[in-house]
Amino acid sequence: MIKPNIIAQNSKKVLKQTNFTFLGKRIQGKVRDIYFKDGKRILITTDRISAFDRVLGYIPYKGQVLNQLSAFWFNKTKDIVANHLLEVPHPNVSIVKNAKPYPVEMVVRGYITGVTTTAIWYWYEKGERTIYGIKFPEGLKKNQKLKKPVLTPTTKAEKGAHDEKLTHDEIIKKKLVSPAILRQMEKVALALYKRGNDLLNKRGLILVDTKYEFGEYNGKLVLIDEIHTPDSSRFWVDKSYREKFKKGEEPDNYDKEFFRKWYVAQGYRGDGKPPIMSKDLQIKTAQRYISIYEMIIGKKFKPEKYPLEKNIEKVLKNIYEK
Ligand SMILES: Nc1ncnc2c1ncn2[C@@H]1O[C@H](COP(=O)(O)OP(=O)(O)O)[C@@H](O)[C@H]1O
Ligand SMILES: [Mg+2]
């Protein structure tokens, strides 16, 4: 593992934001900077970290980890569905097909858990038994494995807003996606979840739940955005899951849940001014992201040299300034 003092040094040089005017129009998501060129999108994954739908700071190496993890998974799943990835010219950069995103986030859940208003446990605990139009049996406990994975789609909220629950029928009624495309999205999302969970099981992890985004490209469905990263998924440790569940304890997680919990412990749940991330939390989070990368890919993480801007610029100028 990269030493804490190296991470601390680089915490001053993190990739916060890019401003490559030679690439033209730029838009900024919570985590990625996006440029448009030759009918493609250039996605630059920065070191921004978000939780509670807000950017809360920067984590060294996070952008590299996310971009490389997604590239790994896009490659592992391309037989299931076409995806947007064309090229990874730099560890933090993906050149992708510019798709027309469908306004629905396809969430797949294998376990009943979570605390936010889109989590199934949140509603089940309140006594609801039909959630997302799906009927759940009596007697489920928090963090229990579901009989089979379920689809719990949400809206793709505008900046600052929170995602809202959707059902299959609502998506059709609101004409967010056509029935044929929706059926395809559902089938593909379940197949991707299975592929992800099967591979992660071999690495000692469980894919608890995850989110996919799809778009239309040349009249066809494509998987876009990111896949099976710690930003879009929950991972639990397989080995201790049963024991912990039986004892009614929280499973050991291998995602960014501890990051959220730090904020909750400071009394922050997404409203008002967020507390400033401690150095210790920043270092531990960087280490967590790197560990997840190594565990999933099964290779040692090769850190890029900080600062990253100059090198990213050079690589992109090479492609676009000829
Ligand atoms: N291939 C693609 N075509 C069109 N839009 C895409 C594609 N890949 C990702 N996106 C969109 O680009 C944005 C990625 O930046 P991100 O920082 O993740 O934004 P957000 O704050 O919306 O999560 C997302 O809004 C995502 O839906
Ligand atoms: Mg995103």
Side-chain angles (χ1 to χ4, degrees), residues 167-183 186:
T167 66
H168 174 98
D169 293 346
E170 281 165 359
I171 294 173
I172 304 284
K173 214 192 285 158
K174 292 183 178 163
K175 292 195 160 64
L176 298 176
V177 181
S178 78
I181 294 289
L182 181 58
R183 265 197 302 279
E186 290 171 338

Side-chain angles (χ1 to χ4, degrees), residues 32 211 213 225-226:
R32 282 157 259 272
K211 176 216 70 171
E213 293 186 26
D225 205 45
E226 60 180 334

Side-chain angles (χ1 to χ4, degrees), residues 24-244:
K25 183 182 166 214
R26 164 187 172 282
I27 59 171
Q28 187 172 320
K30 287 189 288 293
V31 173
R32 282 157 259 272
D33 287 353
I34 303 148
Y35 298 87
F36 302 83
K37 269 271 182 258
D38 311 336
K40 297 171 192 165
R41 273 187 187 224
I42 306 163
L43 297 184
I44 303 184
T45 310
T46 69
D47 292 327
R48 298 193 289 267
I49 186 164
S50 77
F52 315 101
D53 296 320
R54 306 228 351 219
V55 175
L56 296 174
Y58 310 96
I59 304 295
Y61 307 109
K62 176 176 179 282
Q64 184 186 345
V65 165
L66 285 194
N67 191 54
Q68 292 187 319
L69 257 184
S70 276
F72 169 85
W73 284 112
F74 279 129
N75 186 43
K76 291 278 183 209
T77 54
K78 61 183 182 219
D79 60 307
I80 297 174
V81 63
N83 63 61
H84 72 173
L85 188 62
L86 297 167
E87 196 190 333
V88 182
H90 177 281
N92 286 69
V93 183
S94 285
I95 299 176
V96 304
K97 299 166 187 163
N98 186 17
K100 188 164 171 281
Y102 291 113
V104 168
E105 305 205 338
M106 266 296 158
V107 179
V108 183
R109 300 172 189 269
Y111 295 74
I112 182 166
T113 188
V115 290
T116 64
T117 55
T118 48
I120 40 182
W121 177 250
Y122 178 90
W123 298 100
Y124 192 90
E125 198 184 19
K126 287 189 185 300
E128 299 276 341
R129 290 298 175 264
T130 304
I131 310 159
Y132 289 94
I134 303 158
K135 201 134 179 52
F136 291 89
E138 284 302 322
L140 292 180
K141 298 205 166 60
K142 187 173 185 217
N143 303 328
Q144 189 163 345
K145 185 176 185 184
L146 297 167
K147 252 209 186 79
K148 47 182 197 183
V150 295
L151 292 155
T152 60
T154 68
T155 57
K156 219 175 117 50
E158 297 293 319
K159 230 181 180 144
H162 295 288
D163 296 341
E164 303 286 347
K165 304 205 308 306
L166 285 169
T167 66
H168 174 98
D169 293 346
E170 281 165 359
I171 294 173
I172 304 284
K173 214 192 285 158
K174 292 183 178 163
K175 292 195 160 64
L176 298 176
V177 181
S178 78
I181 294 289
L182 181 58
R183 265 197 302 279
Q184 206 189 342
M185 272 167 60
E186 290 171 338
K187 204 174 138 217
V188 162
L190 290 171
L192 291 171
Y193 174 83
K194 184 175 186 319
R195 177 71 54 85
N197 193 39
D198 287 350
L199 193 146
L200 286 169
N201 287 169
K202 291 184 193 139
R203 310 280 207 253
L205 296 174
I206 295 170
L207 183 57
V208 181
D209 44 44
T210 191
K211 176 216 70 171
Y212 304 105
E213 293 186 26
F214 295 94
E216 185 195 323
Y217 184 77
N218 281 346
K220 288 218 176 77
L221 184 81
V222 286
L223 179 64
I224 64 170
D225 205 45
E226 60 180 334
I227 166 168
H228 301 160
T229 70
D231 278 13
S232 68
S233 318
R234 266 198 195 86
F235 307 122
W236 287 343
V237 177
D238 197 14
K239 202 167 152 215
S240 55
Y241 167 73
R242 259 165 213 283
E243 267 310 299
K244 294 266 181 175

Side-chain angles (χ1 to χ4, degrees), residues 10-29:
N10 285 331
S11 71
K12 294 178 198 89
K13 306 180 200 162
V14 285
L15 186 67
K16 294 185 174 177
Q17 197 196 67
T18 64
N19 249 310
F20 298 136
T21 45
F22 69 96
L23 289 176
K25 183 182 166 214
R26 164 187 172 282
I27 59 171
Q28 187 172 320

